[in-house]
Amino acid sequence: MKVAQIKITRIAGLLYLLQIPLGVFGIMYGPKFLIDKSSWSQTITNITSNEFIFRLSIVSAILCALVTIATAVFISEVLKPVNYRIAKWIVIFTLVLAPITLLNKLNNIAVLLITQKSEYFVIFSDQDRKSLSYLFLNMHEYGIKIINIFFGLWLLPMGYLIIKSKYIPKIIGFLLLITCIGYLADFITFFLFSEFKINISQYTWIGEVYMVLWLILKGAKKQIKYE
């Protein structure tokens, strides 16, 4: 096998693996650790007393979005022998995902500015600042659900191409399609059925884990015929 083929699959796998800690901390652990939905006053206290963790979650989420683009580029290289045009959509969806993520993080940055009692907010009372922080934190949560659309959609062409390929187990493709459905379901239920509090994607992510393992452990050993 050509050295270039080995590098492509291994780099794709390592980048995909890197997304996991960045995404878990930036999108899941960081916010859940600090945000107390039963008490927004406590939330503001948590953020001000753990400002570094809050800032680190912002950086982590931004890096996750950028790493996702790089991952998509390498995975599209792995899958382009199946169908080059469809493989390009893996990258296109992540190119939409990244700027939305960056813009959404401005909501968290706004919370930082407000809680720091910047000169821009001296005319506001403590309650006013808490209310504004509440608004921006809620806008950020809505933004996350919109981003979920593209975290799901980039898996759609990936899963399809894996099913059509002859060098990756088809089960991984089907599992990725299920993962895609999980992300999209979270978006739909959040906006249309607000009383539904379960995040479906937390039960459907296993396809991505198998994809990472295949790329790192098996993919580099497979002979992929590039056209």
Side-chain angles (χ1 to χ4, degrees):
M1 181 193 296
K2 295 180 180 179
V3 174
Q5 294 177 16
I6 297 174
K7 287 184 176 180
I8 288 172
T9 52
R10 283 184 175 163
I11 291 173
L14 292 173
L15 287 171
Y16 212 152
L17 181 63
L18 182 58
Q19 282 181 239
I20 295 175
L22 291 174
V24 167
F25 182 81
I27 300 173
M28 296 174 60
Y29 176 77
K32 286 185 177 180
F33 176 74
L34 299 175
I35 297 176
D36 182 353
K37 292 186 178 181
S38 64
S39 173
W40 287 102
S41 295
Q42 185 60 48
T43 295
I44 301 306
T45 300
N46 291 342
I47 291 174
T48 53
S49 59
N50 298 277
E51 184 178 324
F52 178 76
I53 292 178
F54 191 65
R55 288 178 178 273
L56 189 60
S57 71
I58 295 173
V59 173
S60 181
I62 291 173
L63 288 176
C64 180
L66 298 178
V67 170
T68 301
I69 295 176
T71 306
V73 170
F74 282 94
I75 288 180
S76 67
E77 285 295 312
V78 174
L79 293 172
K80 73 178 184 181
V82 183
N83 188 306
Y84 176 75
R85 291 182 179 179
I86 294 179
K88 289 193 298 184
W89 281 98
I90 299 174
V91 179
I92 291 172
F93 284 130
T94 60
L95 288 175
V96 177
L97 179 155
I100 296 176
T101 299
L102 298 179
L103 289 173
N104 190 44
K105 285 301 162 183
L106 289 175
N107 290 308
N108 280 352
I109 294 171
V111 173
L112 278 176
L113 294 175
I114 294 169
T115 56
Q116 289 173 346
K117 297 185 178 181
S118 167
E119 62 272 15
Y120 301 112
F121 300 100
V122 292
I123 63 173
F124 295 98
S125 66
D126 287 344
Q127 186 58 46
D128 290 334
R129 286 197 295 272
K130 288 178 181 177
S131 297
L132 282 172
S133 299
Y134 172 87
L135 172 64
F136 283 112
L137 286 171
N138 270 282
M139 288 179 63
H140 178 264
E141 186 175 4
Y142 275 83
I144 289 293
K145 298 305 179 182
I146 292 174
I147 293 167
N148 274 357
I149 298 173
F150 299 98
F151 266 122
L153 287 179
W154 86 301
L155 301 176
L156 184 60
M158 192 190 308
Y160 172 81
L161 292 175
I162 289 172
I163 292 170
K164 293 294 183 181
S165 74
K166 296 180 180 179
Y167 49 88
I168 304 178
K170 295 183 185 297
I171 185 61
I172 295 178
F174 287 113
L175 289 173
L176 286 175
L177 294 182
I178 292 173
T179 305
C180 169
I181 292 171
Y183 281 118
L184 297 179
D186 281 349
F187 164 75
I188 293 172
T189 55
F190 183 83
F191 281 93
L192 298 182
F193 308 101
S194 57
E195 69 282 358
F196 189 80
K197 300 300 182 181
I198 299 175
N199 287 323
I200 298 173
S201 60
Q202 67 181 332
Y203 303 105
T204 61
W205 48 264
I206 193 65
E208 293 189 275
V209 174
Y210 281 124
M211 185 60 179
V212 170
L213 292 175
W214 184 88
L215 288 167
I216 295 176
L217 302 178
K218 297 290 185 180
K221 298 178 182 179
K222 293 286 185 180
Q223 180 67 43
I224 303 173
K225 296 181 179 179
Y226 287 85
E227 294 178 352

